Each structure stands twice: as structure tokens, then as C-alpha cells.
Amino acid sequence: MIIAVDGHAASGKGTIAKRVAAHYNLAHLDTGSLYRSVGMGMVKRGEDIRDVALATAAALNLQAEALSEDEIRSEAAGTAASVVAAYEDVRAALKRFQRAFAENPPGGKTGAVIDGRDIGTVIWPNAEAKLFVTASLDVRTDRRVLELQQRGAILNWAEIRADLADRDERDENRPVSPLLQAEDAYLLDTTKLDIEAAVAAAIAVINARLGQP
Ligand code: DC
């Protein structure tokens, strides 16, 4: 069983996906971390993220464990991820990784919750349940600022808001696999929901899709 959770940056989709995976005892794959590893790995090696051939090589040699959690979660990593995510060959390399995970979830699990931008549209269009998670830009900025502050980063609210807006723009308008709500995805707007309410809403929708009470 595959549950696809797509949506905007800082919409809460990652936390929702992790909690939904625990609820149904499924594996969880945060596909944003793959793009973050590729982009941030290049930045660390002093490579130009506009170099498609180097980005493709990085995606083919992806070693997610090579970077620390703080490096992967930084705003710089999110921006680098969004740039390399526009390259068709990078997406093709990471698509193979994601499909292999879905076909053979680790830990003997019977399925997976996969979160990203194009899971329900491109990676696994036959997912048993699909969510598209969003929230207003201001609320997403508040959440991202809080998350980065908790990691000890010094930041500016307006800059983070502008970063997220740029990222939305790039993710939604790239020609290859843009961020798009699948026709059969449920739109979950978390603007007015705290995380508990958002997770409860996600589980209720998924139960309905799976025909469970
Ligand atoms: O979900 P996130 O913020 O960690 O993702 C970082 C960037 O990676 C995002 O701006 C776009 C890209 N991405 C993508 O293009 N496709 C995915 N499935 C996941 C992330």
C-alpha cells in the first residue's frame, strides 16, 4: 500500500507523513531529503548547482547519510534542492530510488507513506490514497521560522517568506514534474490546524479512501 503526500514547502506534509506512517505501520520516505542531499552536497563540495551534469552525477551517487540533519534542513539546502529538482536527469535518477523504495519498503513493511511534490502525479500515480497539503504563505513562514530557530539558526521572517515564495514559484512552474495537485488527491489546508488536528484530518481522509471505518 502506498500513500502519497504532496504539497508546498513548510505546509506540514513531512510531519503528517511521518505520523501517518507510524499510525498504519508503514515505511516513510521524505523525498525532499533526497533533493536536499543532492543540492547541499554540491554546495559543500564547492560545485555550481547550475551545472546539470554535476547535479546528475550527484543524484546518481546519492548518499543521503553523508550530510548532517542540520545541513539537510537548512534554508540553503531547501533552495539548492529546489534548483537541482528542476533538472530532468536529476529527477530520473531519484525516481529510480523512490520507485525501488515503494516496491520494496524497508524493514519488512507492507507499504510506505511517501512525501514530496510529484508522488501522486508521477512517482506513484496508483497510490491507494493521496493528500495534497497546503497552508497560507504567512503561516508556512511562521512554521519554518520556528523550525529553524529551534535548530539555532539566526534568520529574518521577511527573508524566509521570500525564500518560500521563490521556492513555490520554481516548484510550480518547472516544466518537468511541477508541484501539482493530482486530480484524485484530497486537498488538506492546514492554515488553521495545529499538528494534532492536521494528522487527525489526514487519517480520517485516508481511512475513508481505504474504505476503513
Ligand atoms: O519538501 P522539501 O521542502 O524538503 O523539498 C525541498 C525541495 O526539493 C523542494 O523545494 C522541491 C524539491 N522536491 C521536488 O522537486 N520533488 C520532490 N518529490 C521533493 C522535493
Side-chain angles (χ1 to χ4, degrees):
M1 176 166 82
I2 299 297
I3 298 175
V5 181
D6 290 304
H8 288 101
S11 60
K13 69 182 175 351
T15 310
I16 291 171
K18 199 186 296 172
R19 295 271 301 266
V20 164
H23 179 83
Y24 293 102
N25 192 25
L26 300 171
H28 171 227
L29 178 62
D30 161 13
T31 63
S33 71
L34 307 177
Y35 292 91
R36 287 168 178 266
S37 295
V38 171
M40 200 58 194
M42 293 184 75
V43 171
K44 267 190 90 178
R45 288 190 296 274
E47 295 171 356
D48 184 350
I49 55 172
R50 290 166 302 181
D51 187 323
V52 181
L54 278 180
T56 305
L60 288 168
N61 294 315
L62 182 69
Q63 301 213 311
E65 69 279 14
L67 295 164
S68 72
E69 189 65 9
D70 276 348
E71 285 170 327
I72 298 267
R73 295 290 140 215
S74 67
E75 210 39 33
T79 301
S82 170
V83 171
V84 298
Y87 306 148
E88 194 164 9
D89 290 349
V90 167
R91 300 202 74 86
L94 297 185
K95 182 177 182 178
R96 275 197 289 279
F97 184 103
Q98 295 168 72
R99 291 192 63 96
F101 187 101
E103 276 156 12
N104 213 344
K109 304 282 187 188
T110 55
V113 180
I114 307 184
D115 76 79
R117 299 291 187 289
D118 62 341
I119 310 306
T121 50
V122 174
I123 301 295
W124 211 264
N126 294 329
E128 277 76 6
K130 299 180 187 178
L131 297 178
F132 189 87
V133 187
T134 193
S136 74
L137 182 58
D138 282 355
V139 165
R140 291 189 289 126
T141 305
D142 288 344
R143 290 179 187 158
R144 181 48 55 84
V145 163
L146 195 65
E147 181 197 333
L148 293 169
Q149 273 169 349
Q150 284 165 349
R151 292 185 179 279
I154 295 169
L155 37 86
N156 171 300
W157 194 90
E159 273 174 24
I160 298 292
R161 188 180 192 280
D163 266 10
L164 285 177
D166 281 353
R167 200 119 72 79
D168 288 352
E169 229 285 309
R170 248 195 318 270
D171 294 348
E172 285 167 353
N173 295 310
R174 66 180 174 229
V176 200
S177 302
L179 170 63
L180 184 73
Q181 181 182 351
E183 268 179 27
D184 51 351
Y186 178 89
L187 178 65
L188 179 58
D189 186 333
T190 66
T191 304
K192 296 191 174 128
L193 303 179
D194 65 15
I195 191 61
E196 296 305 325
V199 170
I203 289 172
V205 169
I206 295 165
N207 279 344
R209 290 279 161 109
L210 299 178
Q212 290 180 7

